[in-house]
Amino acid sequence: MAEPLLDARDLVKHYGSVEALRGASFTAYAGEVVSLIGDNGAGKSTLVKCLSGAEQPDSGTISFDGRTISLPTPTAARALGIETVYQDLAVAPDLDPAANLFLGRELRKPGVLGWLGVLDKKEMRRLATSSFGDLGVTLQSVDVPIGSLSGGQRQSVAVARSVVWASKLVFMDEPTAALGVVQRERVLDVIKRVRDQGMAVVLISHNMPEVLAVSDRVEVLRLGRRVARFRAADTTVEELVGAMTGALSQEDA
Amino acid sequence: MTSDVRERTLAKRLFSANTLWIALVLLVLIAVFGAIRPDAVLTTFTLQTTLVETSVLLVLSVGMTYVIITSGIDLSVGSVLVFSGVTSAMTMNAMNDGNATDAGWGTVLVGLVVALVSGAAWGLLNGLLVAKTGIPPLIVTLGSFGAALGAGQLISNGSNVSGVPDVLSDNLGTGTWFGIPNLVLLAAVVTGIGALVLATTRFGRYTYAIGSNEEAARRVGIAVTGHLVKVYLLAGTLAGLAGFMALAYFRVASITGHDTDNLNAIAGVVLGGTSLFGGAGSIVGTVLGVFIPAVLRKGFVIVGVNVYWQPIAVAIVLVAAVWFDQSRRRARNQR
Amino acid sequence: MSTRTVALLGAALLLTACGGGGQIGDTGGTGDNKKMVLIPGVAAEPFYISMECGFREAAKAKGYEVDVQAPAKFDSTLQTPIVTGVLANKPGAVLIAPTDDKAMAGPMKQLKDAGIKVVEVDTKLEDTSIAVSTVSSNNEQGGQLAARTLAKLVGEKPGSVLVLNTKAGTSTTDARAKGFEDEIKKFPNLKYVGQQYTDNEPDQAASKLTATLAANPDLIGVFATNLNTGEGAATGLRNAGRTGAVNLVGFDASPKQVQDLRAGAVQALIAQDPATIGRTGVEQAVAALEGGTAERDIETDLVALTKDDMDANEKYFYKQQC
C-alpha cells in the first residue's frame, strides 16, 4: 500500500496520574478495514478519542493525507471527513432516524423560510430513506423516535449516520456489541461496502472471529502502546490474543 | 428499500398519541360541564373570559415548554413576571411625574421595552448560569425565583405598583378586535410563533436534540452552551412580556399575586405531554395543558361543585398525565 | 432530567413553599426597659406601615426608643428568627402580629419567659396566656359591615351576591367571610351564592368571578376579603364589562384601593384602623411595663368608605410611609 491516510505517532495522554497512552502509534490506509484491538484498559477508546477530536493528546503527532494536523474538536475532525460511531450510542432517542441522520447538518428550505431557519424535513426524510436503503438498514418508519426502535436498529442508524457523512475515514467503537446475528451481519456488510468505496474503516472490537472476518489488517494495543501489527489473512485468533496479553510482541510495531 | 420505510400521515404526526389523549380530556371536560349548564358554559362570554384569563399563563408556558424540552426547568418565571411588571410600571410612572394613568402610547412603548429587557436580563442570567457553570437548572432558577421577587420588592418598596396607562389597559387589557380580546390575540400570536419555531426550525430541532441527549448534540457539533442560553433567554423575555400583559390586564403590578405562576406553567406544560425528562413535547400540547386547569376551575365554579374538590381534581389529572408519560417511556426503553 | 433532579425539584418546591430570605434582628446588648419593638406580619404593606406610624408616634410620646423588624413575607418561618433576634436585645416590650396562631407560640413564649411584655396587634395566638393584651380589628364585624354596606349600595334590587376569599383556613379572612354570610341573610332581596377561594391569586379571583357571572347572570354584589382578591375581582368585572353594575366591596384601604374607589372600580371599602391599633398597643405595653394593668382584649373600629364619603374619612386611608 501507498502512503497511509492516517498516521499517528507516539501519542501520549494522561488523565491526572493515569497514563492512558504511552507513546501509542496507529496507521490506517484508504480502502482498508483496520481493526484496533487490545484488552480492557489498553487505551483503545482514548486513542480513538484523540484521533476523532474528542480529546487532545499531550504529545505526539498526527498526520492525515500527508499533512500534520491537530484536532481540537470533533467538528475539526468531521471537516476532514473523519466520522465516529461511539460505543455509547450518540443518538438522540426522542428524534426520528432522519433527524438523527441529519443532526447538526440539517437541511433548510430554500429562500426566506430557510433563512429563518425552517427545516426541509421532507427532503431530509427522502434522503435519509434512500441512504438507509443504500446501506441495507431496514426501518419500519423514518419518523418515529429512534428510542422506540430496537437496539440493533438504533445502532444501524448510528453507523449509517457516520458512514453517510464520512468521506475519508470512519471510526467504529464496538459497533456490533449490542446486535443480534442478522443485524451484526448487516453492519459488517456496511463496513465492507464503505471500504469498497475507498474509505478507511477503523473497527474496535473484542470479537476476534469478527475481527478476522472483516479486517484487512489488525493493530494491537497493550498498556497504551502499539505492540503488534498483522495482516488479517496471515494471522490467527491465538496470535491476536497472544499479542493482547503480552505473550507475543513484535520488534518493529 | 424505500417501500419498507413508511411515513406517518400529517394528522398522525400533529396529534401524537399523547397530545390526542390530552385533547380528549379537555373536550370531555367541556362536554361534561356543558351538559350540566349549557346556558352558562357554552356561551361567548365564558369562552371570551376563559381565554383572556389564560392568556398570561399561556405566554409563560410557551417559554417554559422550550426550557423543559431541553430537560431543564425554570422556577423563576413568576418572579420575573413580577419584576418586569414592577420595573415597567415604575418606569412609566417616572416618565409621567409619578402617575402614568393618562400617559400616551410613547410611554406604553417604553414600558413594553423595559418589561421585555427586564425579563430578558433574568433569562440571560439563568441561561449563563445553567449552561456555563453546570449548576442544575432547578437550583439556578430557584435562586433567581427568590432574587427576582426580592429585587421587585426592593424597587417597589414591597407594595403593588399602580398608575398603569389607561390606553394600555383599555386596548391591550380589555380591548377586542372583531370580538376577540386583544390580550388573547397577542397570546395566540406568541404561541403560534413559538409552536412554528419549535416544530419547524433548526432552533427547535436543536432544543429537542439537547434535551434528548445533550452529549450526542455536543458530539455532532451543536453549540449546546449557546443554545441553552438562548432558550432561557427566550423564557425570560416571554416572562417579561407576560408581566407587561398582566399590567394591562390587572392595571397593577402585583407583588404577591404570582407566587404559584411558575408551578401553574410547569403543570400546564407537563399536562400537555412535554416530558420533564426532556426531548419530547409540543406547544400544541402545552396549549391544551394550560386550558385543562383553567376549564376545571371555571367549570367547577359554574356548576357549583364544592370548592375544595377543585385542586384535588387538578392534581389527579396532572399526576395521571405524568404517570402516563413515564410508563410510555418505560415501555419504549425496555425494547 | 434525571430522577435525582426530579427529587430535587420536589425538595425545592418544599423550600419555595417555605419561602426564602428574611432577616434576623440585631443581636447582643443587654436588657433595656425603655425600648419597644414592633414585629409586623410582613414588611412594606400599607396596613402595617400605618400601624407602624401609630406605634412610632405613641411610643416616642411616652419616651420609648423604637425599633421595627418585619419579615419579608407573611410566614412564620421568616418571623421566628426575627423574634429570637429581638429576644437577644431584651427590649421592654414587643408588639407583634403573629403570622401563625400556633407556630409562633413557641418563640413568643420565649419573649414572655425573658420578662418581655408581649402585646398582640392585628392577629393573635390560639394560646391566650402569652400576651398581656390583644389589639385587633373585629374581622367578623368587618364582614357584617361589608354586608350592610353592600345592601345599602344595592338598595331594593334583587340579585345574587358572592364572597371571594383568599386561602382556606386563614382566620382573619374566614372571619370576614363568616360575618358577611351571617349578616347578608338579613336582606331577603339578596341571594348568597357562597364563597370561592382564590389562593390569594388575582388571576384566580378574576376567573372565579367571571365563572360566577356566567352561572348567575343576576350577580349584583361581590365581597372580596382582601387586597389581592379585590384586585382580581375588579379585573374580572372590567373584563366582563360589568364594572359598577356589580357592586364590589373590598377590604382594607391601601393607596391603590383608595384610587380604585375614587375611579369607580370598587364601590366600597371596609377599612381597618391600623394606626389606632398601633397606638393602643403601645398604651397597653406601657401600662404593663409601668405597673398598671393592661386590658386583655381590645377591638378597634372598622369603617365603611364609599365614593361619596371617602374624602371626609381620609384619616382611614392606609399610608405608604409615615
Side-chain angles (χ1 to χ4, degrees), chain C residues 60 68 76 167 189 218 228 238 248 277 290 319:
Chain C
K60 271 181 197 146
V68 177
S76 60
K167 292 181 186 172
N189 59 325
D218 68 337
N228 276 355
R238 194 162 53 234
L248 177 57
I277 294 177
E290 299 179 356
K319 299 189 181 83

Side-chain angles (χ1 to χ4, degrees), chain C residues 83-200:
Chain C
V83 171
T84 46
V86 166
L87 175 66
N89 250 332
K90 286 247 175 72
V94 169
L95 277 68
I96 181 168
T99 47
D100 189 302
D101 62 358
K102 293 182 197 72
M104 290 312 295
M108 284 168 61
K109 183 151 191 313
Q110 285 181 294
L111 292 176
K112 185 194 173 203
D113 293 346
I116 299 168
K117 303 293 176 200
V118 179
V119 176
E120 290 164 338
V121 284
D122 179 38
T123 52
K124 60 185 172 194
L125 292 176
E126 229 177 46
D127 181 352
T128 52
S129 70
I130 292 169
V132 295
S133 175
T134 302
V135 187
S136 60
S137 305
N138 188 330
N139 280 296
E140 206 170 321
Q141 209 178 63
Q144 292 167 359
L145 182 58
R148 284 196 298 273
T149 310
L150 185 58
K152 206 167 97 189
L153 285 166
V154 170
E156 298 295 310
K157 276 176 281 177
S160 303
V161 292
L162 166 76
V163 170
L164 285 173
N165 209 342
T166 58
K167 292 181 186 172
T170 310
S171 62
T172 48
T173 48
D174 280 351
R176 291 169 197 171
K178 185 176 178 300
F180 183 88
E181 192 181 333
D182 293 344
E183 190 72 12
I184 202 74
K185 287 178 185 149
K186 296 180 184 162
F187 302 94
N189 59 325
L190 299 178
K191 184 178 134 226
Y192 179 56
V193 297
Q195 64 172 326
Q196 294 289 340
Y197 288 106
T198 64
D199 268 341
N200 204 26

Side-chain angles (χ1 to χ4, degrees), chain C residues 24-101:
Chain C
I24 295 177
D26 300 334
T27 51
T30 48
D32 181 359
N33 267 346
K34 286 307 253 182
K35 190 169 174 185
M36 216 178 263
V37 182
L38 171 69
I39 307 177
V42 62
E45 203 176 271
F47 174 83
Y48 286 116
I49 292 174
S50 307
M51 181 192 289
E52 182 184 332
C53 297
F55 161 78
R56 283 184 188 277
E57 180 198 321
K60 271 181 197 146
K62 302 263 182 195
Y64 281 81
E65 195 190 323
V66 293
D67 189 15
V68 177
Q69 299 275 352
K73 276 187 175 181
F74 194 89
D75 186 334
S76 60
T77 58
L78 299 180
Q79 201 179 32
T80 301
I82 294 177
V83 171
T84 46
V86 166
L87 175 66
N89 250 332
K90 286 247 175 72
V94 169
L95 277 68
I96 181 168
T99 47
D100 189 302
D101 62 358

Side-chain angles (χ1 to χ4, degrees), chain B residues 37 39-40 43 45-46 48-49 52-53 71-73 75 99 101 136 138-139 142 145 149 153 157-160 162-163 173-174 248-252 254 256-264 266 276-278 294 297-298 301-302 305 307-308 310, chain C residues 1-3 5-10 12-13 15-16 43-46 49 72-73 167-168 195-197 199-204 206-217 227-228 231-232 235-236 238-242 255-256 259 320-321:
Chain B
R37 281 295 301 272
D39 60 313
T43 60
F45 175 76
T46 302
Q48 268 193 355
T49 52
V52 170
E53 287 150 9
S71 82
I73 196 92
L75 296 178
N99 188 348
T101 314
L138 188 72
I139 303 302
L142 183 61
F145 166 78
L149 187 62
Q153 288 173 321
N157 202 13
S159 45
N160 295 356
S162 52
T174 46
Y249 177 49
F250 290 114
R251 301 195 182 198
V252 62
S254 172
T256 54
H258 301 277
D259 286 356
T260 57
D261 280 16
N262 53 359
L263 300 186
N264 293 339
I266 292 169
L276 273 176
F277 296 89
R297 284 200 185 120
K298 197 134 215 145
V301 175
I302 291 179
V305 168
V307 288
Y308 300 110
Q310 195 216 94
Chain C
M1 200 187 254
S2 71
T3 332
T5 321
V6 175
L8 266 173
L9 174 65
L13 296 185
L15 267 177
T16 337
E45 203 176 271
I49 292 174
K73 276 187 175 181
K167 292 181 186 172
Q195 64 172 326
Q196 294 289 340
Y197 288 106
D199 268 341
N200 204 26
E201 301 253 344
D203 62 339
Q204 280 207 36
S207 145
K208 294 197 164 167
L209 177 62
T210 52
T212 308
L213 262 176
N216 305 284
L227 175 68
N228 276 355
E231 255 158 23
T235 302
R238 194 162 53 234
N239 193 11
R242 301 286 284 273
K256 158 74 168 137
Q259 197 182 320
Q320 211 79 276
Q321 61 211 27

Side-chain angles (χ1 to χ4, degrees), chain B residues 3 49 65 68 86 91 96 100 105 134 140 148 156 212 219 230 250 267 269 310 320 333:
Chain B
S3 57
T49 52
T65 307
I68 293 184
V86 166
T91 308
N96 295 276
W105 284 107
V140 168
S156 68
S212 189
R219 282 187 194 163
K230 283 183 213 159
F250 290 114
V269 171
Q310 195 216 94
N333 292 339

